[in-house]
């Protein structure tokens, strides 16, 4: 589950890494303390995530490993460093802005692109073709097809190089 990797390795809301100008000075300084060894927030996320994913893919290679894309509830994302700026207050986050619908929303699409890039790095650059992916909280077949289309544009094409996509 990628949210465990984000919570334990990245520790920062992905949109906070992409849009630090929206954050308070104190939050930006806290993020800088974690990311100072990297060329920027984007590279920090990609390195931390791809290494975490690759560690698991390598441990089970050549057997398949399925990574479930992030499925934090809004209040869980808000608890990440910088997250409170980017997350809505929901009455029922169990049914709210989660999974596939979150990935497709313009307010979160850039963060999902980071996740896709990390997976692409693990599969294509590191060679772990045993890594498969799962789209959580997919409400309709059309929503799943749309996410698969976004994945394809990001270089993760279902069926290519044995990529399996579960929903």
């Amino acid at each position: 589950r990628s949210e465990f990797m984000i919570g334990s390795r990245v520790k920062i809301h992905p949109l906070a890494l992409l849009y630090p100008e929206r954050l308070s000075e104190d939050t930006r300084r806290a993020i800088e303390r974690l990311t100072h060894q990297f060329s920027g927030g984007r590279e920090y996320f990609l390195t931390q995530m791809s290494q975490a994913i690759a560690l698991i893919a390598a441990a089970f290679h050549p057997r398949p490993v399925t990574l479930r894309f992030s499925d934090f509830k809004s209040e869980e994302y808000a608890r990440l460093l910088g997250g409170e700026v980017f997350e809505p207050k929901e009455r029922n986050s169990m049914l709210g802005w989660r999974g596939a619908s979150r990935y497709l929303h313009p307010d979160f699409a850039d963060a999902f692109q980071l996740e896709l890039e990390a997976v692409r790095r693990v599969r294509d650059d590191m060679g772990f073709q045993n890594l498969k992916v799962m789209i959580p909280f997919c409400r309709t077949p059309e929503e799943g097809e749309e996410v698969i289309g976004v994945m394809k544009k990001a270089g993760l094409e279902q069926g290519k190089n044995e990529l399996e996509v579960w929903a």
Side-chain angles (χ1 to χ4, degrees), residues 111-138:
F112 185 53
Q113 287 298 314
L114 285 178
E115 227 174 309
L116 295 176
E117 175 64 16
V119 169
R120 195 209 52 75
R121 279 187 181 188
V122 171
R123 287 184 49 81
D124 296 347
D125 299 349
M126 298 178 187
F128 292 110
Q129 302 294 309
N130 62 317
L131 180 65
K132 316 304 180 187
V133 295
M134 184 177 102
I135 304 165
F137 217 99
C138 189

Side-chain angles (χ1 to χ4, degrees), residues 26-37 44 81:
D26 288 343
T27 303
R28 283 198 303 269
R29 278 196 297 272
I31 289 172
E32 175 61 28
R33 284 192 291 277
L34 290 173
T35 64
H36 72 277
Q37 296 178 346
Y44 170 81
L81 188 55

Side-chain angles (χ1 to χ4, degrees), residues 12-23:
I12 305 167
H13 194 289
L15 293 173
L17 291 165
L18 293 174
Y19 302 106
E21 68 279 2
R22 297 184 190 172
L23 304 171

Side-chain angles (χ1 to χ4, degrees), residues 17-150:
L17 291 165
L18 293 174
Y19 302 106
E21 68 279 2
R22 297 184 190 172
L23 304 171
S24 71
E25 187 62 36
D26 288 343
T27 303
R28 283 198 303 269
R29 278 196 297 272
I31 289 172
E32 175 61 28
R33 284 192 291 277
L34 290 173
T35 64
H36 72 277
Q37 296 178 346
F38 298 86
S39 61
R42 182 178 190 283
E43 190 55 39
Y44 170 81
F45 183 93
L46 293 173
T47 299
Q48 295 290 72
M49 278 300 286
S50 61
Q51 287 177 354
I53 296 166
L55 182 66
I56 295 168
F60 291 94
H61 191 270
R63 294 182 310 273
V65 170
T66 302
L67 173 75
R68 187 177 92 162
F69 286 124
S70 62
D71 191 31
F72 282 121
K73 294 182 282 303
S74 293
E75 70 267 9
E76 293 168 331
Y77 259 124
R79 284 194 290 264
L80 294 172
L81 188 55
E84 67 284 345
V85 172
F86 299 98
E87 292 300 316
K89 304 282 189 262
E90 296 186 285
R91 288 176 60 125
N92 185 350
S93 61
M94 288 297 290
L95 298 174
W97 202 33
R98 294 183 55 198
S101 64
R102 179 182 274 267
Y103 309 151
L104 297 172
H105 196 283
D107 290 345
F108 194 79
D110 291 343
F112 185 53
Q113 287 298 314
L114 285 178
E115 227 174 309
L116 295 176
E117 175 64 16
V119 169
R120 195 209 52 75
R121 279 187 181 188
V122 171
R123 287 184 49 81
D124 296 347
D125 299 349
M126 298 178 187
F128 292 110
Q129 302 294 309
N130 62 317
L131 180 65
K132 316 304 180 187
V133 295
M134 184 177 102
I135 304 165
F137 217 99
C138 189
R139 292 171 173 100
T140 66
E142 295 79 17
E143 190 174 62
E145 289 170 5
E146 195 172 346
V147 172
I148 289 170
V150 169

